[in-house]
Amino acid sequence: MGFLFNNLRQSDKVVNYNRQTSEAMCAVLIGLLLFISSEAMAGWDVSNQRKTDGHKTVAGELFTDTDLTRSTGQTETPATQTDDKESDVTSTSEPQPATGNEDAGFAPGDWLLAFGLDDQIFPAAIIALSTLDPENIGVNRKDNTFGSPLAMASVFIRAVNPGDRVTVEITSTKLIRPSKMTVTLPDANTVYEISPHLRYEYEKLLSIRQPYPEDVTAKVFVNGQEVGEHTQTVIVRSVNDCFFGLYTNEGKNFEDWSEMFAAYVNEGDPIIDEILSEALRKGYVDAFIGYQGDEMDVALQMEAIWKVLKDKGFRYSSISTTSVESNVVAAQHVRLVGDSTRGAQANCADGAVLLASIFRKIGLNAYLILLPSHMMVGVSSTAEKDAPIIPIEPTLLACADLDQAQDSGIKTINEYEDKPSAVTYISINGAREAGILPLRNLYN
């Protein structure tokens, strides 16, 4: 693999217990939609600089502790390109040809369409990362790579003659509008990767609740003449399917991208205002003021929210299975905030993202706490960056008060006292700073 994927779970210097090494969350996100094959990944590389403190790893400021370089270890200046999302994209620069065996298996003029993530489209991942700008976080392209590193589909092509002008157009049956990119290939002995910015139908992506097949088609034009098209059928997953990792090296390694659970935390869902209004109307709290009061005020606000959800009759639901199985992609079914609230049922992940959404809405620093086969929610007791994180067991919404849920959360964390690497804290503030957008629920 061209990447070294380790995860920084927070960007605001909160201790990460998940690994002995860490890197900025951006490095995880850049690789997220780029996984096509080891050959495709060769166009990008990540090298890390870390700060460690004993057995703990302290995260640096967002993006500043990550050095994205070529595999040679030398810093590379990316080629200049013009990216117009609504029209043809033209690159007039001529990057120097890459060295090595990039042309192996490709005769002059050969090309192919490659699709990432085990030939599957994950609407949640596409939407959550839709506004991430790779250039703003220091991604350097190799010379044989053009376009967006977040594009799910790429064309690999070898020129016939130096200076061939190639246009790639990618579209799909329902979800991808015609997306073009035009580049000049300076060398005939190099295979180039061309990845147009894909113009997705985002509203349609948000509405998908069941998997179905979608045809993705690429057309290639060389010097103004169409040289062919290729169609590949992929599986479109439900928006509820949270992609959180990949099995690589024939299943021997697992690349953990659990940050994607943060996309299901939606502090802007209108149903949260209804929950807060109910808490005020019932007199559970006088006002929601975030950290403007003391720790007792924080506790009272959290308790008010817990009481309202308990009043709604929340029940534990163990549903987490996705409707599509894969030996490459790890995914879990997660309900959107509105779905959990309207159905008054949630598994551990559903409950954690719901509570994190409400806590963040009122100005508290919320965390998703990941453990083996389980998830809890956490809240900083004060606004200080080094404040203790209060763990809460969300599955107790149906049968316990908040104090009991906190006691249960602390007990669970303490069970891993001798194995802190099994506990991961994902900062929702950090996820938003890194560019992970919340998933919007489409209400009828």
Side-chain angles (χ1 to χ4, degrees):
M1 294 291 289
F3 274 89
L4 305 174
F5 287 110
N6 295 310
N7 296 331
L8 170 61
R9 306 303 181 177
Q10 307 73 229
S11 66
D12 50 3
K13 291 188 176 180
V14 176
V15 172
N16 170 26
Y17 292 97
N18 188 58
R19 286 194 174 93
Q20 298 301 314
T21 59
S22 68
E23 75 180 41
M25 191 184 290
C26 64
V28 178
L29 304 183
I30 289 302
L32 197 57
L33 298 182
L34 191 64
F35 183 84
I36 296 174
S37 65
S38 59
E39 288 78 14
M41 293 293 289
W44 304 82
D45 199 12
V46 174
S47 177
N48 311 309
Q49 296 176 352
R50 306 176 180 90
K51 297 179 180 179
T52 59
D53 179 16
H55 73 280
K56 302 176 182 178
T57 298
V58 181
E61 293 293 339
L62 185 62
F63 307 147
T64 59
D65 284 339
T66 301
D67 177 27
L68 298 134
T69 63
R70 298 179 61 182
S71 57
T72 59
Q74 301 297 318
T75 302
E76 177 186 3
T77 302
T80 303
Q81 298 185 44
T82 302
D83 191 359
D84 184 349
K85 298 179 182 180
E86 298 300 323
S87 60
D88 290 4
V89 182
T90 302
S91 172
T92 57
S93 64
E94 294 191 359
Q96 296 299 313
T99 59
N101 296 320
E102 285 86 350
D103 62 342
F106 277 73
D110 281 355
W111 67 277
L112 62 83
L113 169 64
F115 207 86
L117 297 182
D118 199 24
D119 295 337
Q120 298 177 49
I121 291 177
F122 281 82
I126 291 170
I127 294 167
L129 303 178
S130 59
T131 62
L132 186 67
D133 185 350
E135 292 186 1
N136 287 345
I137 55 178
V139 174
N140 294 322
R141 295 179 295 106
K142 281 188 68 175
D143 294 334
N144 63 330
T145 305
F146 295 93
S148 171
L150 299 184
M152 285 287 295
S154 299
V155 163
F156 292 82
I157 185 170
R158 180 179 172 184
V160 175
N161 300 300
D164 278 347
R165 191 167 177 80
V166 175
T167 296
V168 170
E169 177 182 296
I170 296 177
T171 187
S172 77
T173 310
K174 298 178 180 179
L175 300 178
I176 305 174
R177 291 174 288 164
S179 307
K180 292 183 180 181
M181 185 174 195
T182 299
V183 301
T184 299
L185 307 184
D187 182 73
N189 296 316
T190 298
V191 173
Y192 293 91
E193 177 184 0
I194 304 174
S195 306
H197 174 91
L198 300 182
R199 301 168 60 203
Y200 288 103
E201 297 282 1
Y202 292 107
E203 291 294 301
K204 292 181 180 179
L205 288 171
L206 282 168
S207 69
I208 297 169
R209 295 304 181 99
Q210 301 179 67
Y212 74 91
E214 176 94 349
D215 289 335
V216 178
T217 299
K219 294 182 180 180
V220 173
F221 303 80
V222 178
N223 299 323
Q225 299 296 315
E226 183 175 348
V227 297
E229 69 176 58
H230 176 68
T231 298
Q232 183 171 336
T233 301
V234 301
I235 297 175
V236 181
R237 302 287 292 262
S238 165
V239 71
N240 296 106
D241 288 353
C242 178
F243 157 69
F244 65 88
L246 287 170
Y247 294 96
T248 61
N249 192 21
E250 298 181 349
K252 297 177 182 177
N253 300 325
F254 181 72
E255 294 176 354
D256 185 1
W257 293 329
S258 299
E259 288 82 0
M260 293 311 301
F261 282 109
Y264 291 85
V265 176
N266 182 8
E267 58 273 29
D269 194 299
I271 206 162
I272 294 178
D273 288 328
E274 298 177 13
I275 293 171
L276 299 178
S277 295
E278 183 174 343
L280 294 173
R281 186 173 64 255
K282 290 182 174 181
Y284 290 157
V285 69
D286 293 332
F288 288 103
I289 57 175
Y291 290 118
Q292 295 180 39
D294 56 22
E295 292 186 39
M296 180 58 69
D297 292 317
V298 171
L300 290 174
Q301 294 171 81
M302 294 168 58
E303 184 178 22
I305 292 166
W306 186 270
K307 286 181 177 179
V308 170
L309 294 179
K310 193 174 180 182
D311 289 348
K312 292 182 176 296
F314 261 80
R315 293 293 182 265
Y316 175 73
S317 171
S318 63
I319 295 174
S320 61
T321 304
T322 61
S323 52
V324 175
E325 297 295 331
S326 171
N327 293 327
V328 176
V329 178
Q332 176 176 326
H333 181 93
V334 181
R335 293 179 177 89
L336 301 181
V337 168
D339 297 336
S340 295
T341 305
R342 290 186 296 181
Q345 58 178 329
N347 59 28
C348 63
D350 304 332
V353 300
L354 171 60
L355 286 164
S357 300
I358 305 173
F359 292 152
R360 178 169 165 80
K361 176 72 173 184
I362 65 174
L364 303 182
N365 297 329
Y367 298 82
L368 299 179
I369 305 175
L370 277 66
L371 307 103
S373 302
H374 191 47
M375 185 185 297
M376 299 192 298
V377 65
V379 178
S380 295
S381 58
T382 71
E384 301 298 322
K385 288 187 176 182
D386 295 330
I389 297 174
I390 305 168
I392 302 170
E393 176 53 69
T395 61
L396 295 183
L397 262 174
C399 58
D401 59 30
L402 181 60
D403 286 341
Q404 292 171 316
Q406 291 177 1
D407 289 342
S408 177
I410 293 171
K411 180 179 179 181
T412 300
I413 295 296
N414 288 340
E415 291 175 359
Y416 294 93
E417 185 176 0
D418 296 330
K419 194 178 180 181
S421 62
V423 183
T424 297
Y425 295 81
I426 298 178
S427 166
I428 304 306
N429 288 348
R432 295 294 179 262
E433 291 172 10
I436 298 179
L437 295 178
L439 296 174
R440 179 168 58 91
N441 205 336
L442 298 179
Y443 294 101
N444 294 327

